[in-house]
Amino acid sequence: MPSHANQARALSFDTVATQYADARPGYPPALFDAVEELAGRPLAGANVLDCGAGTGIATRLMRERGAHVVALEPGAGMADTLRAAEPEIPLVRGEGNLLPFAAHSFDVITYAQAWHWTDPASSVPEALRVLRPHGVLALWWNQADVRVPWVAAEDARLAPFTRDYPATVAELVAPFPVHVATREILWSRRITVEEHIRNLGTHSHFAVMDPIERAELLDMNRTALARIFPGGELDEPYRCGLTVVRSATTHT
């Protein structure tokens, strides 16, 4: 991951916000169980800041578990889509490198598919500032499980277009006075080939691509998948990697 976010790509999701809301996967209950385990508290009743909330996929799931969630989103298109779908969720325009909140405001700060757009040199201290004593920063990503043969083949077909998720979050937060814990949750969802193609099209490397080149690349992948899945459906497998960070200077 670069030392600072690529802002053009970070904000490219605004151009595909509606498709993003429709096509992107959610997160399994086991993920939020793990967040609660590592945080040492339930999400129910917690004051949660969901940074880079996007269209509100994770925001909504945490709210359904009883959390009091504030969504923070830098992109106008994504924010508008979230606001239209979830008008009752408080929404603030902003980003994780400079959180527009007072110190000790939240019990939990989350980044779902979003922390890699921040600069850790800014976003980690900002999170630690805004967290309450004993609060946690929870970062997670759905990553395609390339151990599954058809996913590995697709990954090779679409190279050099890679998923920009940091593989070593622990190393990136190591310079800070924190304790780190991790979990991996395996899960999948049953969808159509076309839904899978629409999901791929919401990733930033496709969103910023020339439209003709994007269409050609996705059509080539659609044709390959149709040969593998003639029935038109597939199981889309994920490895959801979770990292939970807490201050090492908080005393019990």
Side-chain angles (χ1 to χ4, degrees), residues 75-129:
M78 299 288 267
D80 288 347
T81 301
L82 192 161
R83 186 180 289 111
E86 305 289 345
E88 71 285 357
I89 293 178
L91 173 62
V92 176
R93 295 289 304 282
E95 46 93 14
N97 291 329
L98 186 62
L99 293 174
F101 300 98
H104 312 308
S105 296
F106 294 96
D107 302 303
V108 180
I109 296 175
T110 62
Y111 282 85
Q113 310 290 130
W115 189 69
H116 55 292
W117 298 118
T118 74
D119 178 359
S122 299
S123 61
V124 175
E126 277 292 272
L128 296 177
R129 177 184 66 82

Side-chain angles (χ1 to χ4, degrees), residues 4-244:
H4 60 278
N6 181 326
Q7 290 301 307
R9 285 183 63 176
L11 296 177
S12 67
F13 301 107
D14 286 334
T15 66
V16 292
T18 300
Q19 184 174 334
Y20 191 109
D22 292 340
R24 280 289 182 109
Y27 303 97
L31 168 67
F32 299 105
D33 293 342
V35 171
E36 292 176 334
E37 174 196 347
L38 296 177
R41 63 156 300 151
L43 285 168
N47 289 311
V48 177
L49 173 63
D50 188 24
C51 295
T55 61
I57 295 171
T59 316
R60 180 166 48 253
L61 292 171
M62 290 188 287
R63 187 172 182 271
E64 290 172 358
R65 289 181 77 107
H68 306 299
V69 188
V70 174
L72 181 75
E73 171 53 39
M78 299 288 267
D80 288 347
T81 301
L82 192 161
R83 186 180 289 111
E86 305 289 345
E88 71 285 357
I89 293 178
L91 173 62
V92 176
R93 295 289 304 282
E95 46 93 14
N97 291 329
L98 186 62
L99 293 174
F101 300 98
H104 312 308
S105 296
F106 294 96
D107 302 303
V108 180
I109 296 175
T110 62
Y111 282 85
Q113 310 290 130
W115 189 69
H116 55 292
W117 298 118
T118 74
D119 178 359
S122 299
S123 61
V124 175
E126 277 292 272
L128 296 177
R129 177 184 66 82
V130 171
L131 282 170
R132 292 172 177 161
H134 311 292
V136 299
L137 169 64
L139 319 168
W140 66 82
W141 291 264
N142 277 324
Q143 300 191 56
D145 192 345
V146 295
R147 298 171 301 181
V148 176
W150 76 261
V151 179
E154 176 181 76
D155 203 56
R157 275 194 303 276
L158 299 180
F161 306 104
T162 58
R163 301 172 178 86
D164 294 330
Y165 308 145
T168 55
V169 176
E171 292 181 10
L172 294 173
V173 301
F176 305 98
V178 296
H179 295 303
V180 178
T182 62
R183 292 285 189 277
E184 183 177 76
I185 297 92
L186 304 180
W187 74 286
S188 66
R189 62 173 185 165
R190 186 75 173 174
I191 59 174
T192 66
V193 169
E194 192 57 38
E195 287 168 336
H196 176 71
I197 295 296
R198 284 176 55 77
N199 174 23
L200 290 176
T202 67
H203 289 262
S204 64
H205 43 271
F206 288 113
V208 299
M209 191 180 292
D210 174 80
I212 295 175
E213 183 183 0
R214 177 175 62 238
E216 290 176 350
L217 191 60
L218 292 176
D219 282 345
M220 176 268 293
N221 193 54
R222 180 186 290 107
T223 298
L225 292 177
R227 288 195 295 267
I228 302 169
F229 303 106
E233 292 189 337
L234 54 80
D235 287 312
E236 193 177 65
Y238 287 102
R239 302 171 71 173
C240 187
L242 167 68
T243 299
V244 171

